[in-house]
Amino acid sequence: MSKKLVAYFSASGVTKRAAERLAKQEDADLFEIRPVQPYTDADLNWMDKKSRSSLEMNDKSSRVEIAEKVQNMNQYDEIFVGFPIWWGVAPHIINSFLEQYDLSGKTISPFATSGGSGYGRSTEELKDSAPGAVWNKGRML
């Protein structure tokens, strides 16, 4: 029997609620992707070009240190990865999360939430962070 994981990053709680609903619907385990240094409201101010999130998103090589890893990731066949849309794509903490594991052969199903932006090129921007994974089309929840 295939085992599923819903892993998500949520800055404001919107993605968390979507992830919880999806985990229940898919009978999947739930994991919150948390940065070692939590984001403050000032960090998330996209209008401030010097805010933490603006600086991270303006540097494609930027990665965010994650507080903890999924234990025994190899038990999961499908991983739903959720995030808010930042600057038209997934926040770089999602790249950081994916790059921690060998996800070869696993199915990754990305999903996103947004206050107004579309899904954009999020999946394309994430694929290099999980070489060998099988990617489903991303969707907005």
Side-chain angles (χ1 to χ4, degrees):
M1 184 156 141
S2 119
K3 192 151 184 185
K4 300 175 185 179
L5 174 69
V6 174
Y8 70 92
F9 165 69
S10 186
S12 67
V14 173
T15 306
K16 177 182 181 178
R17 290 188 293 278
E20 289 170 341
R21 286 190 307 271
L22 181 60
K24 186 174 182 181
Q25 171 189 320
E26 293 289 332
D27 191 28
D29 293 341
L30 190 63
F31 178 81
E32 182 178 8
I33 302 166
R34 293 180 303 106
V36 166
Q37 179 185 351
Y39 289 93
T40 65
D41 287 343
D43 290 337
L44 298 172
N45 182 358
W46 61 274
M47 301 287 285
D48 177 0
K49 294 195 183 305
K50 296 204 181 293
S51 73
R52 176 180 167 195
S53 58
S54 294
L55 294 172
E56 287 173 4
M57 294 308 292
N58 282 324
D59 177 2
K60 283 191 176 218
S61 67
S62 169
R63 294 297 181 262
V64 179
E65 188 177 1
I66 296 177
E68 62 186 286
K69 290 180 81 167
V70 173
Q71 298 302 310
N72 200 9
M73 179 64 94
N74 62 357
Q75 69 182 312
Y76 298 106
D77 301 307
E78 183 170 9
I79 303 156
F80 295 88
V81 180
F83 47 88
I85 296 292
W86 285 8
W87 289 258
V89 294
H92 293 162
I93 191 169
I94 301 302
N95 299 88
S96 301
F97 171 77
L98 295 170
E99 291 166 1
Q100 294 183 95
Y101 309 98
D102 177 3
L103 301 173
S104 300
K106 296 187 183 297
T107 300
I108 300 177
S109 299
F111 66 94
T113 59
S114 175
S117 301
Y119 188 82
R121 295 184 35 81
S122 295
T123 300
E124 289 75 22
E125 297 282 331
L126 293 172
K127 283 184 176 179
D128 287 344
S129 292
V134 177
W135 287 83
N136 283 330
K137 184 177 177 184
R139 62 185 171 139
M140 298 295 288
L141 289 186

